[in-house]
Amino acid sequence: IELLSTVGLIYLMFSTGLEIDLRQFGRVRNKALLFGLLTFALPQLSGIVLGRYLGLSWVGAILLGSVYASHTLVAFPILSRLGIVRNESVAVTIGATVLSGVVALLVLAMVASVQDGHLPTAYVVRLVALMSGYTLLVLLGLPRVGKQFFRRFNSRAVEFQFVLVALFVAALLAQWIGMHAIVGAFLAGLAINSTLPPRSTVIGQVLFVGESFFIPIFLMHIGMMTDPWAIVVNGQTLMIGLALTVATYVTKFAAAWITASMFHYSTDELLTMWGLSQAQAATTLATLLVGVSIGLFPMTVFNGGILVILFTSITSPLL
């Protein structure tokens, strides 16, 4: 189940990239950049303040902020079924998801590499260079390889297999260079999106496999990892969890409200942005595990973070 859950998360981000209207995405990139900065910076700053109040070190407080500064598109399959994926506010939120996720993963990688309170400059330069090169390789190289491939082979089975290989190779390469596999999966989705026609049968097959099997297992795995009893029996854990949950809701809403006000979005679009950007899952869990393993987080913070995952994974699809 753990393995299938990992595949489900990769599929979730891949299908997000596949279903984006690239022309619209290009038009809203500046708006997505603004929302991405807001939806990362506000939670990050609140996490630092909360972490220092809880007695964490500065490095631990910075890592605590990144716990809920990013988000996972848990509710995306619902938007797809409702037929509102091409709404501008959804496109802006998806773009912001990538930006906040990449920055949060950068914070995680840098914190994990801190040695005696110092961050090696060479490591930072190398990581940024690898990430930039990887992004260009996937977004520019994969569409060219795909178009050459599809000219020579027109079998649906072979095309389907090519898409799957592209997805998992991109995810694996992202993992190798220090990015998260979900970033590679999203970029692979964008690359395949620009290679195949919008109503391609192959894209329909890929989405069907993900939405009917892998993505539900990912959501089930989140529920399996949550232990509500461990949260309830410890008063300190419960207080930390509630504080983190409130901070997540408030800061994510503030970012969505500022963006919606600036670009004159409706109340429904505002609530959609807030609902889609509040869910905590993959990156949150990875950050919590790293924080505990390197001694920056006590178990009370870890279990409190699990409470955030539990609440937001329920309220995000509801909204």
Side-chain angles (χ1 to χ4, degrees):
I1 289 177
E2 209 169 286
L3 173 63
L4 294 174
S5 171
T6 302
V7 176
L9 175 59
I10 291 172
Y11 239 104
L12 179 64
M13 291 304 295
F14 182 63
S15 62
T16 303
L18 276 180
E19 294 203 62
I20 287 178
D21 184 338
L22 291 176
R23 292 181 180 178
Q24 183 190 47
F25 193 68
R27 291 195 298 269
V28 303
R29 61 178 180 272
N30 293 333
K31 298 178 181 179
L33 178 62
L34 174 65
F35 183 44
L37 291 174
L38 288 172
T39 200
F40 176 84
L42 295 180
Q44 179 68 60
L45 292 173
S46 72
I48 293 174
V49 173
L50 184 59
R52 294 299 293 168
Y53 177 77
L54 294 173
L56 300 180
S57 65
W58 277 106
V59 176
I62 291 172
L63 189 62
L64 181 65
S66 72
V67 163
Y68 57 95
S70 64
H71 50 267
T72 303
L73 298 174
V74 169
F76 185 80
I78 294 176
L79 301 183
S80 181
R81 287 198 297 272
L82 292 173
I84 58 173
V85 171
R86 296 181 183 274
N87 180 276
E88 182 178 300
S89 64
V90 175
V92 167
T93 308
I94 291 171
T97 302
V98 179
L99 176 65
S100 62
V102 169
V103 179
L105 291 168
L106 271 174
V107 171
L108 176 60
M110 291 179 182
V111 167
S113 303
V114 170
Q115 301 172 358
D116 300 324
H118 299 286
L119 182 65
T121 305
Y123 172 81
V124 177
V125 173
R126 173 180 170 275
L127 182 62
V128 172
L130 284 174
M131 291 178 69
S132 302
Y134 169 83
T135 302
L136 291 174
L137 176 66
V138 174
L139 292 181
L140 299 180
L142 184 56
R144 294 183 180 181
V145 173
K147 288 176 182 177
Q148 291 295 327
F149 183 88
F150 293 130
R151 285 175 185 169
R152 298 189 179 186
F153 302 96
N154 53 14
S155 166
R156 289 185 181 178
V158 176
E159 291 176 353
F160 180 78
Q161 291 158 8
F162 174 84
V163 171
L164 289 187
V165 169
L167 163 61
F168 290 112
V169 168
L172 181 63
L173 288 177
Q175 194 82 19
W176 275 353
I177 67 172
M179 297 170 70
H180 198 286
I182 60 176
V183 180
F186 178 79
L187 293 176
L190 288 178
I192 295 297
N193 190 349
S194 64
T195 305
L196 292 172
R199 297 184 179 180
S200 168
T201 305
V202 177
I203 290 182
Q205 291 172 335
V206 171
L207 294 176
F208 173 78
V209 171
E211 292 178 4
S212 62
F213 184 65
F214 290 114
I215 295 175
I217 291 181
F218 161 66
L219 298 174
M220 183 181 73
H221 186 236
I222 294 175
M224 291 175 65
M225 295 191 67
T226 304
D227 183 5
W229 184 247
I231 299 167
V232 173
V233 297
N234 188 314
Q236 186 180 7
T237 297
L238 183 60
M239 292 302 296
I240 292 174
L242 290 176
L244 289 173
T245 303
V246 170
T248 301
Y249 284 140
V250 171
T251 55
K252 292 294 184 180
F253 180 81
W257 180 80
I258 292 172
T259 306
S261 299
M262 290 183 64
F263 302 123
H264 308 292
Y265 293 150
S266 68
T267 302
D268 288 339
E269 290 173 319
L270 163 62
L271 292 176
T272 299
M273 293 175 71
W274 182 41
L276 194 58
S277 65
Q278 70 181 230
Q280 303 297 314
T283 307
T284 303
L285 194 56
T287 305
L288 289 169
L289 289 170
V290 171
V292 171
S293 66
I294 62 179
L296 292 176
F297 292 162
M299 284 307 296
T300 51
V301 171
F302 177 83
N303 289 326
I306 296 298
L307 185 66
V308 178
I309 294 174
L310 173 62
F311 278 139
T312 58
S313 294
I314 293 173
T315 57
S316 175
L318 286 174
L319 279 169

